[in-house]
Amino acid sequence: MPPTFPMSRQCPYHPPAGYDALREEGPLAQVELYDGRTAWAVTGYAETRALLTDPRLSSDRSRPDFPVLVPRMAAAKLVALVGMDPPEHGVQRRMLIPSFTVKRVNSLRPAIRRTVVDRIEALTASGRRQADLVPEFALPVPSTVICELLGVPYTDHEFFEEQTRRMLHATSTAEDAAAAAGALVRYFDELVGARIDEPGEGLLGELVAERLVTGELTRAELSSIAMFLLVAGHETTANMIALSILALLEHPKQLDRLRTADAKGASEAVEELLRFLSVADELQRVAAADIEIAGRVIREGDAVYLPNAAANRTPEVFPDPDTLDLGRSARGHLAFGYGIHQCIGQNLARAELEIALQELAVRLPGLRLAEPVERLGTKPGGSVQGILRLPVAW
């Protein structure tokens, strides 16, 4: 009988132990989903890259045979960008690319740094010596940044953060996830409506003026895009920041290395953390035609999962893969996916991680965990990977 999938991590910064058993079966192995459906889990690095560029694998979440990993996914499907196939996917992606180029993100770095420094100063205000870095640093930094980029009021952050949690946490019921998704849809529909009369600043206003008014996008499409960007723009990066801090505190020599790194060294450090942590695990697809790969045949209609945490620990590609080494060249990692669906916000995420982690390391040199790792709470498989709490002292 195939093992169940998704699998949960025993240690927050290492992949599930079950990935090793899957890898022993070869680069592709069969697993069983919660509803009894059999799926393929791809653990090989080369096979993952090949399949993520294979047009015979569909990302279209509106397909009736698209796989459901956990119950809440049946109710809360983010269809913009990641849930589309060409040509619709390419049309929307081209609209957004100018806002996420390296040049554009570099222009945002001073604002990102101000946000990070403000949060650190708030942590140390009035002589404080301890805090939970999840709600007080890891979450508000990317939330503030993506709100400013989109032109969404940060005053609404508690609302959309809570709805995102209800929608994306693996243990949420389908009903709860649907209610949260509905609340976010209504929120963005109202926001888009308000921008028609007064576009204001930010990407949302630009899209209203340049794409909605011209008829290139419908109001529903634009609301869906804005919802996707906001949810993806803060949830994944928040988990990466928190988990990176934890991993660095557990590897003090690597933390010291980051603290003294130059710009190139900080960039390399972030790439290794992205590889090592792989928080956006369990990429999912459905086969639109038969595919022969690695001596196996993926049949049309088969569910396919590509856990990049497994691919990113392939020893033939990343020697000694279970060791965190900020000096290694990890640029070939698949933490942002690969192919046409590679994360559009990766340049922004990299900038936020570089600035947040290095500023924290430099400004709080005595930073340390205030509780054992096993008490922090690890998010279950089927969620963006991360921890529930990060209590620290300095």
Side-chain angles (χ1 to χ4, degrees), residues 303-338:
V304 181
Y305 283 92
L306 305 109
N308 55 30
N312 284 336
R313 297 292 182 100
T314 302
E316 293 81 10
V317 181
F318 304 104
D320 196 12
D322 295 331
T323 296
L324 178 64
D325 178 6
L326 300 191
R328 90 161 76 222
S329 176
R331 289 273 173 184
H333 68 76
L334 305 177
F336 289 119
Y338 192 67

Side-chain angles (χ1 to χ4, degrees), residues 171-239:
T171 59
S172 294
T173 65
E175 293 76 16
D176 197 39
L184 283 172
V185 167
R186 290 190 294 274
Y187 171 79
F188 279 104
D189 181 69
E190 292 175 4
L191 203 58
V192 168
R195 293 292 189 274
I196 294 175
D197 295 325
E198 296 183 29
E201 297 183 355
L203 177 57
L204 185 58
E206 293 175 10
L207 291 173
V208 167
E210 299 173 10
R211 307 294 182 177
L212 179 64
V213 173
T214 61
E216 292 181 73
L217 287 174
T218 67
R219 182 164 167 170
E221 288 171 335
L222 180 50
S223 298
S224 180
I225 291 171
M227 174 179 161
F228 166 74
L229 291 175
L230 183 71
V231 169
H234 80 270
E235 174 70 10
T236 308
T237 307
N239 282 282

Side-chain angles (χ1 to χ4, degrees), residues 123-124 129-131 133 137 244-246 248-250 252 255-256 259 356-357 359-370 390-394:
L123 289 174
T124 58
R129 305 295 298 179
Q130 58 184 13
L133 292 187
F137 185 74
S244 294
I245 296 169
L246 172 61
L248 290 168
L249 291 176
E250 289 283 278
L255 177 58
D256 287 341
R259 186 178 287 117
L357 297 176
E359 289 287 351
L360 195 69
V362 170
R363 292 173 183 269
L364 296 179
L367 194 66
R368 63 190 184 277
L369 280 177
L390 184 54
V392 297
W394 55 87

